[in-house]
Amino acid sequence: IVYTIFDSIKKQWYQRRVRGPQLSFVAVDEKDKICGYVLAKMEEEPDEVPHGHITSLAVKRSHRRLGLAKKLMDQASRAMVESFSARYVSLHVRISNRAALSLYKHVLKFQVDDIEPKYYADGEDAYAMKKDLSHLLEETSDTRQFIENLGKSLFADPQLQTEDSGVDEQLDKLTLNPNVCDSDDAAS
């Protein structure tokens, strides 16, 4: 199960330490124990394109190789796009961290953008990595357009547009247009 940081028991701790908590998520196991998290934020340079940054990703050893890191990162990326129209997401990883580098490159499809010399306090270099989010931006735009069109189709019935009819009466009269939905179960 993946929750936003706001859903977490440690809500106040995270609110003090994380900017943009709507971009950070925790995963819990069946006993409601945290087994993974992603902390993310939006970068705030006004002259750059909107983009997010992953500040930390962790999954408990016992829960690795189950797709949890991908789910957490996908959730954070989608939230960046939906809330802030992010164009890409970035992160840094130690050059010596081969396991993380493999995860980011091969599973999460990040690309090395640059090398940051002496990025870490101990003097180790970091790979600066990026992932394009334009496909999510297009999906989000398409979804918003679909919902807008769906709303127009649902309320296109002239009987529902009378000024003296209240919202409750309009909803009581509402019938779905079968041409809008692709499947039979979508209308039920």
Side-chain angles (χ1 to χ4, degrees):
I1 299 173
V2 176
Y3 295 102
T4 66
I5 291 297
F6 272 179
D7 295 331
S8 162
I9 296 170
K10 298 177 181 177
K11 177 179 174 180
Q12 290 141 356
W13 184 88
Y14 286 113
Q15 282 179 323
R16 287 193 302 270
R17 288 169 177 76
V18 180
R19 288 182 67 133
Q22 69 271 30
L23 302 178
S24 298
F25 299 88
V26 295
V28 297
D29 62 16
E30 60 281 348
K31 296 177 184 174
D32 279 342
K33 300 288 184 193
I34 294 175
C35 56
Y37 68 85
V38 60
L39 302 179
K41 65 178 185 170
M42 289 300 293
E43 293 292 3
E44 298 180 2
E45 294 89 17
D47 55 335
E48 291 189 20
V49 295
H51 66 281
H53 185 78
I54 303 299
T55 58
S56 183
L57 171 68
V59 174
K60 199 173 176 180
R61 285 193 194 279
S62 59
H63 289 73
R64 292 185 183 166
R65 296 193 160 291
L66 299 174
L68 196 51
K70 182 168 179 10
K71 286 181 183 180
L72 287 164
M73 293 288 277
D74 288 350
Q75 191 74 25
S77 297
R78 186 167 295 283
M80 289 174 192
V81 170
E82 290 175 354
S83 298
F84 301 100
S85 299
R87 302 286 195 262
Y88 67 90
V89 59
S90 63
L91 58 81
H92 290 93
V93 63
R94 288 178 177 271
I95 287 182
S96 65
N97 191 342
R98 292 183 183 177
L101 185 60
S102 178
L103 171 72
Y104 295 137
K105 284 176 82 173
H106 302 294
V107 176
L108 301 174
K109 308 301 183 197
F110 277 77
Q111 296 179 337
V112 174
D113 185 57
D114 200 1
I115 295 176
E116 303 263 350
K118 299 180 178 28
Y119 180 82
Y120 293 99
D122 63 3
E124 186 173 355
D125 296 348
Y127 287 118
M129 302 185 80
K130 287 184 179 180
K131 180 179 180 179
D132 180 50
L133 299 178
S134 59
H135 67 286
L136 287 177
L137 197 60
E138 290 171 14
E139 282 179 27
T140 301
S141 177
D142 291 347
T143 301
R144 286 185 181 142
Q145 185 64 46
F146 173 78
I147 291 169
E148 186 178 308
N149 290 340
L150 180 62
K152 288 177 185 175
S153 297
L154 291 175
F155 290 101
D157 185 343
Q159 293 177 354
L160 297 177
Q161 296 180 5
T162 60
E163 285 188 39
D164 54 339
S165 179
V167 173
D168 290 334
E169 291 171 347
Q170 290 182 21
L171 290 174
D172 288 340
K173 295 177 186 176
L174 180 63
T175 56
L176 287 176
N177 180 343
N179 297 325
V180 175
C181 301
D182 290 333
S183 66
D184 293 334
D185 60 339
S188 56

